[in-house]
């Protein structure tokens, strides 16, 4: 389901970029990712917020003032503008922050523990290469869009025989956002 978060955010960002592009605007990027970027309305629909706005609950110095994790690319900490490559870095960090809440397929658990079989080598290489590219130090070395990242991750998901389920992902993500909202109430 954490994989579904990537797909969901990708679709939201790509939709926003299609709209921006049709109006002659530059690309749309979030930049600093936090749970505050995800919002659930009373009907249970998920929304992605923060285009052009920092929702990280930062104080006047830009340093987060609560336990709200901020997942951002290194270049943003040095004042560069958000980009799709920065969003790739940020969403990967946000997904990694969910690792303790995710039940991994047995094969993936084995690979993550370093207990590879001969059949696991190709998948482990795919995973390491994707992670290295998504988390690369410079934006030029990263995937250049969320769509590019998801296309690459689909190869991993196919190898694992697991595909993000839209309804299950939405329900699970809704629960995580609700739990976060209850644990970290908004500040005035």
């Amino acid at each position: 389901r954490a994989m579904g978060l990537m797909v969901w955010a990708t679709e939201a960002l790509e939709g926003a970029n299609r709209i921006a592009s049709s109006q002659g605007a530059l690309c749309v990027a979030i930049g600093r990712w936090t749970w505050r970027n995800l919002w659930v309305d009373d009907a249970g629909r998920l929304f992605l917020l923060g285009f052009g706005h920092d929702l990280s609950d930062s104080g006047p110095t830009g340093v987060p003032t609560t336990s709200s994790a901020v997942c951002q690319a290194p270049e943003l900490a040095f004042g560069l503008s958000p980009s799709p490559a920065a969003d790739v870095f940020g969403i990967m960090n946000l997904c990694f922050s969910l690792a303790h809440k995710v039940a991994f397929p047995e094969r993936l658990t084995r690979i993550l523990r370093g207990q590879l079989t001969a059949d696991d080598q190709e998948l482990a290489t795919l995973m390491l290469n994707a992670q290295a590219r998504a988390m690369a130090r410079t934006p030029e070395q990263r995937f250049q869009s969320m769509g590019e990242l998801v296309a690459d991750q689909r190869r991993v998901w196919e190898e694992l025989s697991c595909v993000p389920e839209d309804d299950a992902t939405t329900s699970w993500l809704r629960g995580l956002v609700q739990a976060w909202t209850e644990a970290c109430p908004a500040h005035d």
Side-chain angles (χ1 to χ4, degrees):
R1 293 181 185 146
M3 296 179 280
L5 170 62
M6 230 187 300
V7 173
W8 177 78
T10 296
E11 290 170 354
L13 282 168
E14 288 181 343
N17 275 302
R18 276 192 300 278
I19 293 167
S21 177
S22 72
Q23 297 176 0
L26 298 175
C27 73
V28 176
I30 298 290
R32 294 179 69 160
W33 285 82
T34 178
W35 285 108
R36 291 181 185 271
N37 291 108
L38 309 175
W39 184 66
V40 182
D41 70 6
D42 291 338
R45 292 176 298 204
L46 292 165
F47 293 87
L48 184 60
L49 306 174
F51 298 101
H53 301 282
D54 182 358
L55 301 179
S56 63
D57 194 24
S58 299
T61 63
V63 176
T65 57
T66 68
S67 60
S68 172
V70 174
C71 304
Q72 70 179 15
E75 65 271 13
L76 298 181
F78 294 102
L80 296 180
S81 296
S83 68
D87 279 347
V88 166
F89 191 100
I91 195 69
M92 284 297 286
N93 273 308
L94 194 63
C95 287
F96 286 145
S97 77
L98 299 174
H100 66 286
K101 297 184 178 287
V102 176
F104 294 109
E106 181 183 332
R107 184 175 180 201
L108 180 55
T109 300
R110 190 175 61 243
I111 291 170
L112 293 173
R113 289 184 178 154
Q115 301 166 342
L116 279 67
T117 66
D119 294 338
D120 295 333
Q121 191 59 51
E122 184 178 343
L123 177 58
T125 300
L126 272 174
M127 290 170 52
L128 287 173
N129 289 341
Q131 180 182 351
R133 189 164 173 211
M135 306 297 286
R137 190 174 54 86
T138 66
E140 298 78 21
Q141 296 171 315
R142 289 186 213 125
F143 293 104
Q144 295 302 298
S145 71
M146 298 287 284
E148 198 178 313
L149 169 65
V150 168
D152 191 78
Q153 288 299 295
R154 285 192 190 283
R155 293 173 50 212
V156 171
W157 303 335
E158 288 169 7
E159 278 288 320
L160 289 169
S161 300
C162 66
V163 177
E165 305 167 40
D166 288 339
D167 291 339
T169 297
T170 301
S171 176
W172 173 77
L173 188 53
R174 187 179 301 121
L176 284 176
V177 171
Q178 183 65 38
W180 181 87
T181 302
E182 291 169 2
C184 301
H187 293 59
D188 293 329

